[in-house]
Amino acid sequence: MSASSRSEIFEKIAKGRAQRGNSFEPDPSWRARLETPKADIIPAIAQTNGDAALQRFCQLASILSCSVETVHDPKLIPDQVATYLKNQQLAQEVWLGEDQTVQQLPWDKTPMLNIRKAEDDRDVDGGTVVTGIMGAVAETGTLVLTSDAHTRVGTAYMPDAHVIVVEEEQVVGGFDDIWDLLRERYGVGELPRAVNFISGPSRTADIEATMVLGAHGPRAVHIVLVSKDFVWEAPST
Amino acid sequence: MHITSDKFKSLAHDAIHDDRLKNGLMIFEKFLPAFREQVIGRLPEFEAMRDQARDIKDHTLSHLDFYLARFEEKVLAQGGIVHWARTGDEANEIIAEICRGVDAKKVIKSKSMVTEEIELNPKLESEGLEVFETDLGEYIIQLRDEKPSHIVGPALHLNVDQVSDTFYEAHQKYGRTERVVEKDALVGEARAVLREHFKTADVGITGANYLIAESGTIGLVTNEGNADLSASLPNCHIVVTGIEKVVPTLDDATLLMRLLVRSATGQEAANYMSFYTGPKRVGDADGPEIFHVVLVDNGRSNMVGTEFQDMLRCIRCGACLNHCPVFTSIGGQAYGSVYSGPMGSVLTPALTSITQAAHLPNASTFCGRCEAVCPVRIPLPKMLRHWREREYEAHLIPRAARWGVGLWAFLAKSPWLYRRALSIASFGLGLMSREDRAGSARWVKKLPLIGRGWTERRDLAAPKGGTFLTQYARQQKERR
């Protein structure tokens, strides 16, 4: 079924294409564009760097209803997570990601926290997940997750709260920088199974266009930015 | 694709008089354009990006077979499977076959207009499968057995009370017997009910906003997170989309994504913008082991090379609907097609036939706002005109309208007769009219025959001072 359908569709496309005098024989420039892709127009908002990028990242993430805090010493993170859970009136229990960023933190120094390890994405339903991240985008205050041996993609969507540890070197100007990083890491034309750009907690406006947080994904996203010097101060409301 | 566009006139009439639609229509007409305007104001490159997006889509559509072949090659290399469907029925059969192959009982779906177009759900249900739409809007209209009223906000024609009634009825079987009325609580209830289905589904079906030839990747843009749960939890992920969605590179998809979110909902980023490439890799911590892409033609290849090719640039943002005075007066369901508004009026006859959809190209005032806001600059009014020409050629215009146009053409070809007819008409209107109180103009309160409808709600100003040509002739005489 599929082989003949494929050829029929391709024949019809070819016929239509020929009507306009366009050729199938690829111009070398098209292939070159696929082999060595270049960014299209990169808007100015996607071209920040340094402290300006950190500032923009934190600001836009806050606008997207993320809570953001900065920390100079990563060793303090487990304590801060415990405080966050207490303030949010959430259970003192976290499902830890298998990634290096989170695993190297001194969780044993925070005995009141119940540390759990997910065997299945479904385990974290309704709980709090703590993970690292592949990158973060200042352009829109977005977090970037990629699938690998240590990253359960599904656990970014199943919990009620997602705590994400971002290292300052991971914050880039725009989406375009993420593609550059991934092409460098995996090769051009190759990507991990999942590359997920996450911008704040899940939301819907499907009932009378009223925004409601926590549609299907996390109701809360808490960002812990690890930076030597930068401090984010939320504008007072 | 079944459509009821032949009933457009009566459906539109009913919609105009349906007060329950007013709230939703105001959201489309006022809120969404205002949000769009605001974010575009923060992106000075927007116009240049529209040009670039148009050019990239044009290039890709002109060499569609080259880019589709490349996309297929990359998906296969990652261990995915690509299917080609000439028609909606063929696509449905392919998807049903995949479900049978994995012995599926339960299917979860995220929003996909192509699956609405091909009417996938009834097919899967006839196979004995349980199918759950999980986008909140799609879930609501699935429970109500309705068609989407807007390609982006499918249930925005409903009021919160109607949603409350629907959930109260549908969720009894889950032991939820108390009526819920608050919006937060309604969202929470849908979340809880669908969460259990997510956890136990065998197959996840998603659409795709773009197919990326560079890497064999599919791109998804959502706000709720349901598409990603559909693509992560079940062991089998099926992507269903149209062949026109392919773009060359990740950068091109990013360009379209930046335009899409701003044009659709006035966001700078949708909550979840996800890129999936093939099935779970060796060593990956999670993900589906089976990955299928079903590429649907269903009339699209017929548009390649024709005057309707530009329509294939469409990225389904819905901006043309929100800015259309016809759409914002009657809503989407009156169009009788899952694609409504200006884009629907061009696409529906192309995917079905002009005979079935003859009314739709006339559902336009040609005000041009649709083209002015289209992120990929589709010349929608021009294409609506092309359809009107086809409609006329196919003798689909009502006899009275053809007769009227024919009479006008006859008169217009003979200037002497034309002027005579005009003088008689304006004399007649003069007789029927009455001077207003200020004495500055004469008005016809009631026209006879076919003009009756026109004066039902307004008066017609009677011409005064003769026609342009008689005035011109008089002026020339005076100058001499």
Side-chain angles (χ1 to χ4, degrees), chain A residues 1-2 4-6 8-10 12-14 16-17 19-20 22-24 26 30-31 33-35 37-46 60 121-122 125-126 139-140 142 147-154 157-160 174-176 179 183 188-210 212 214-219, chain B residues 23 27 43 45 48-49 52 56 59 62-68 70 72 74 78 83-86 90 94 134-137 156 158-160 163 183-184 186-187 191 194-195 198-199 214-215 217 223-224 226 228-229 231 233 248-252 254 258 262 268-281 283-288 297 301-302 304-306 309:
Chain A
M1 179 167 59
S2 197
S4 72
S5 300
R6 184 187 189 279
E8 203 175 296
I9 292 169
F10 273 65
K12 280 165 93 179
I13 292 171
R17 173 167 47 68
Q19 275 174 27
R20 287 205 178 179
N22 295 316
S23 98
F24 178 76
W30 314 346
R31 280 213 189 278
R33 202 161 171 271
L34 292 171
E35 307 310 336
K38 287 191 177 58
D40 295 317
I41 294 170
I42 305 177
I45 53 167
L60 270 88
D121 292 350
R122 292 159 184 81
D125 184 8
E139 176 182 355
T140 48
T142 297
S147 58
D148 58 35
H150 311 293
T151 309
R152 292 188 158 277
V153 177
Y157 300 91
M158 288 297 280
D160 273 9
F175 299 120
D176 321 85
W179 298 132
R183 283 170 183 145
V188 171
E190 305 295 323
L191 283 181
R193 181 189 74 85
V195 179
N196 298 16
F197 293 88
I198 299 174
S199 306
S202 156
R203 68 195 64 204
T204 184
D206 276 351
I207 304 177
E208 292 187 351
T210 306
V212 177
H216 286 294
R219 302 170 199 272
Chain B
N23 187 36
I27 292 164
L43 191 72
E45 300 88 350
M49 290 165 75
Q52 193 173 33
I56 287 168
H59 166 78
S62 298
H63 311 284
L64 192 56
D65 34 3
F66 169 76
Y67 286 104
L68 284 170
R70 160 81 187 212
E72 180 185 39
K74 294 300 281 188
Q78 289 293 1
H83 306 263
W84 302 86
R86 287 165 296 186
E90 192 173 5
I94 291 166
T134 59
D135 170 80
L136 182 60
L156 285 180
L158 298 169
N159 301 331
V160 63
V163 177
K183 290 170 191 169
D184 292 30
L186 288 166
V187 173
R191 174 191 174 103
L194 290 171
R195 181 57 67 98
F198 273 122
K199 286 158 82 174
E214 174 188 345
S215 48
T217 300
N223 281 310
E224 296 183 4
N226 58 320
D228 300 290
L229 285 169
L233 294 184
T249 66
L250 292 159
D251 306 276
D252 300 336
T254 305
R258 284 177 172 135
R262 289 174 173 85
E268 275 169 330
N271 265 71
Y272 301 109
M273 303 184 291
S274 307
F275 297 83
Y276 293 103
T277 313
K280 178 181 177 179
R281 309 290 163 79
D284 268 4
D286 71 349
D297 180 345
S301 62
N302 293 334
V304 175
T306 71
Q309 177 176 308

Side-chain angles (χ1 to χ4, degrees), chain B residues 364-380:
Chain B
S364 164
T365 63
F366 282 163
C367 72
R369 288 182 82 197
C370 49
E371 183 176 0
V373 298
C374 176
V376 285
R377 300 198 194 278
I378 299 173
L380 289 156

Side-chain angles (χ1 to χ4, degrees), chain B residues 275-342:
Chain B
F275 297 83
Y276 293 103
T277 313
K280 178 181 177 179
R281 309 290 163 79
V282 176
D284 268 4
D286 71 349
E289 288 168 310
I290 304 166
F291 179 79
H292 292 270
V293 183
V294 181
L295 297 176
V296 181
D297 180 345
N298 205 28
R300 289 163 173 78
S301 62
N302 293 334
M303 296 163 74
V304 175
T306 71
E307 67 264 55
F308 299 109
Q309 177 176 308
D310 291 349
M311 189 62 224
L312 297 173
R313 292 205 296 259
C314 179
I315 57 173
R316 306 289 192 266
C317 69
C320 64
L321 281 66
N322 307 338
H323 290 79
C324 175
V326 176
F327 179 90
T328 54
S329 301
I330 61 174
Q333 290 176 338
Y335 289 77
S337 163
V338 295
Y339 300 114
S340 57

Side-chain angles (χ1 to χ4, degrees), chain A residues 129-173:
Chain A
V129 165
V130 184
T131 68
I133 205 83
M134 175 265 158
V137 182
E139 176 182 355
T140 48
T142 297
L143 303 148
V144 190
L145 192 77
T146 50
S147 58
D148 58 35
H150 311 293
T151 309
R152 292 188 158 277
V153 177
T155 60
Y157 300 91
M158 288 297 280
D160 273 9
H162 191 181
V163 178
I164 299 177
V165 180
V166 181
E167 289 160 24
E168 62 180 325
E169 315 78 59
Q170 291 182 307
V171 179
V172 298

Side-chain angles (χ1 to χ4, degrees), chain A residues 11-228:
Chain A
E11 272 165 31
K12 280 165 93 179
I13 292 171
K15 220 172 105 194
R17 173 167 47 68
Q19 275 174 27
R20 287 205 178 179
N22 295 316
S23 98
F24 178 76
E25 273 319 304
D27 186 282
S29 68
W30 314 346
R31 280 213 189 278
R33 202 161 171 271
L34 292 171
E35 307 310 336
T36 49
K38 287 191 177 58
D40 295 317
I41 294 170
I42 305 177
I45 53 167
Q47 297 189 43
T48 54
N49 51 42
D51 274 10
L54 296 179
Q55 179 69 27
R56 185 176 172 95
F57 170 71
C58 294
Q59 189 186 340
L60 270 88
S62 311
I63 293 171
L64 291 168
S65 311
C66 296
S67 46
V68 182
E69 64 178 324
T70 39
V71 55
H72 298 306
D73 181 0
K75 286 195 194 71
L76 302 173
I77 291 174
D79 251 350
Q80 288 192 331
V81 169
T83 312
Y84 167 77
L85 293 174
K86 195 173 150 230
N87 291 343
Q88 299 297 309
Q89 299 181 318
L90 295 169
Q92 291 285 322
E93 178 181 81
V94 286
W95 299 86
L96 292 190
E98 298 285 296
D99 53 279
Q100 180 81 27
T101 312
V102 166
Q103 285 296 323
Q104 68 189 0
L105 301 174
W107 295 100
D108 53 339
K109 303 269 164 55
T110 321
M112 65 282 207
L113 262 183
N114 185 15
I115 304 297
R116 314 228 17 207
K117 177 179 183 299
E119 303 293 339
D120 186 287
D121 292 350
R122 292 159 184 81
D123 294 347
V124 305
D125 184 8
T128 300
V129 165
V130 184
T131 68
I133 205 83
M134 175 265 158
V137 182
E139 176 182 355
T140 48
T142 297
L143 303 148
V144 190
L145 192 77
T146 50
S147 58
D148 58 35
H150 311 293
T151 309
R152 292 188 158 277
V153 177
T155 60
Y157 300 91
M158 288 297 280
D160 273 9
H162 191 181
V163 178
I164 299 177
V165 180
V166 181
E167 289 160 24
E168 62 180 325
E169 315 78 59
Q170 291 182 307
V171 179
V172 298
F175 299 120
D176 321 85
D177 299 302
I178 296 292
W179 298 132
D180 287 346
L181 283 171
L182 289 172
R183 283 170 183 145
E184 211 170 282
R185 199 173 296 175
Y186 294 89
V188 171
E190 305 295 323
L191 283 181
R193 181 189 74 85
V195 179
N196 298 16
F197 293 88
I198 299 174
S199 306
S202 156
R203 68 195 64 204
T204 184
D206 276 351
I207 304 177
E208 292 187 351
T210 306
M211 174 90 75
V212 177
L213 291 184
H216 286 294
R219 302 170 199 272
V221 173
H222 181 64
I223 296 170
V224 183
L225 177 65
V226 186
S227 170
K228 275 197 275 306

Side-chain angles (χ1 to χ4, degrees), chain B residues 374-446:
Chain B
C374 176
V376 285
R377 300 198 194 278
I378 299 173
L380 289 156
K382 191 175 98 186
M383 282 187 289
L384 287 169
R385 261 195 295 274
H386 287 319
W387 278 126
R388 288 191 188 181
E389 285 158 16
R390 298 265 182 110
E391 184 198 3
Y392 190 81
E393 285 161 17
H395 296 270
L396 295 168
I397 311 252
R399 201 189 299 156
R402 290 185 76 84
W403 189 82
V405 172
L407 178 71
W408 183 83
F410 170 74
L411 289 173
K413 278 179 207 151
S414 163
W416 178 82
L417 256 182
Y418 188 80
R419 270 175 242 149
R420 250 307 148 83
L422 267 190
S423 314
I424 294 170
S426 71
F427 179 73
L429 286 172
L431 283 184
M432 277 183 270
S433 64
R434 244 181 245 150
E435 199 159 73
D436 63 10
R437 265 191 221 135
S440 58
R442 296 181 69 86
W443 296 91
V444 183
K445 301 262 181 212
K446 210 171 180 185

